[in-house]
Amino acid sequence: MARRKFEAIGSTADIAFLLLCYFLMTTTMGEQSGLQRRLPPIPDTEQVKDQKVNRRNIIIVRINSADKLFAGSEAMDITLLKDKIKEFLTNPTNDPNLPEKEPLEVDGKTYIKSKGVISLQNDRGTSYQAYIAVQNELVKAVNELRDDFSRANFGKKFSRLSEEEQELVKQVIPQNISEAEPKDTGKK
């Protein structure tokens, strides 16, 4: 009788182990979400000394602790941010309040490059969801500009270009997003 009791305990442990193995192998963990970014190389001290950004070349995108979004000096809905950034970076009407443009010569061809920089600032109380949503809109704006440029110059989307062609597009349309350390931006 004692032997049957040990067999029952042993088989229960075996079943528990098998169930544990089954759930470990069949359960999928939630995928991690985040922003895929490659940090730029650290600039030389000489580059930093010579690098001054004209005020008209910067658009400040702020998110306050109430998750309210400001682009430039105006409050806006996040659905309008992508188009605002695209207009800022392209400066289609050569508005003196929008970024300057400079010629960039690559492989004997001259392209027009925006000097625009996006400065992202957020409050310490900004929600992670609002921060990621704004980041996604900023990246989406740059990606759409790269796709437009790629179609106009190569006849295909940016993702279908060769590595050399993609590097050229990245030079002409860089992703210049500057992030400040979170601070108290106020509850406007």
Side-chain angles (χ1 to χ4, degrees):
M1 184 145 154
R3 183 178 170 130
R4 283 190 182 172
K5 188 175 183 182
F6 285 122
E7 286 177 8
I9 292 172
S11 63
T12 304
D14 290 342
I15 291 171
F17 180 73
L18 289 173
L19 284 173
L20 177 65
C21 289
Y22 171 77
F23 285 116
L24 286 174
M25 288 191 247
T26 60
T27 304
T28 57
M29 298 296 171
E31 290 185 26
Q32 292 181 359
S33 63
L35 301 172
Q36 189 175 30
R37 292 272 172 82
R38 175 176 285 159
L39 295 175
I42 297 174
D44 297 337
T45 53
E46 291 300 316
Q47 282 181 321
V48 174
K49 288 179 186 174
D50 297 337
Q51 191 176 31
K52 291 184 181 174
V53 179
N54 189 340
R55 179 71 194 121
R56 77 180 256 195
N57 295 335
I58 300 173
I59 185 168
I60 297 174
V61 177
R62 293 181 300 135
I63 317 166
N64 67 15
S65 60
D67 291 344
K68 193 169 181 184
L69 175 66
F70 298 86
S73 59
E74 62 185 88
M76 70 170 29
D77 188 65
I78 194 161
T79 58
L80 304 173
L81 181 61
K82 177 186 63 147
D83 293 329
K84 172 89 172 174
I85 296 301
K86 285 173 68 173
E87 179 185 356
F88 173 79
L89 292 175
T90 57
N91 190 3
T93 60
N94 289 322
D95 185 333
N97 297 318
L98 294 179
E100 301 168 291
K101 298 176 183 179
E102 65 181 345
L104 176 69
E105 191 166 321
V106 180
D107 297 333
K109 284 188 173 182
T110 303
Y111 301 98
I112 303 300
K113 175 183 174 181
S114 172
K115 290 185 173 184
V117 175
I118 303 162
S119 175
L120 178 59
Q121 301 174 2
N122 62 291
D123 190 279
R124 292 189 198 287
T126 301
S127 73
Y128 185 70
Q129 291 80 11
Y131 174 77
I132 292 297
V134 169
Q135 280 278 0
N136 286 339
E137 290 300 308
L138 297 178
V139 172
K140 192 184 302 182
V142 172
N143 287 343
E144 283 186 15
L145 289 174
R146 287 178 176 173
D147 274 342
D148 294 344
F149 180 85
S150 299
R151 284 190 183 104
N153 290 281
F154 301 106
K156 50 189 168 182
K157 289 178 67 171
F158 177 77
S159 61
R160 297 185 181 243
L161 298 177
S162 68
E163 285 186 38
E164 296 82 27
E165 292 168 332
Q166 284 184 357
E167 286 304 315
L168 180 135
V169 174
K170 287 178 183 178
Q171 285 179 6
V172 176
I173 304 171
Q175 184 172 298
N176 290 331
I177 301 174
S178 167
E179 288 191 54
E181 185 175 334
K183 58 184 176 183
D184 185 16
T185 59
K187 284 192 175 188
K188 295 182 181 178

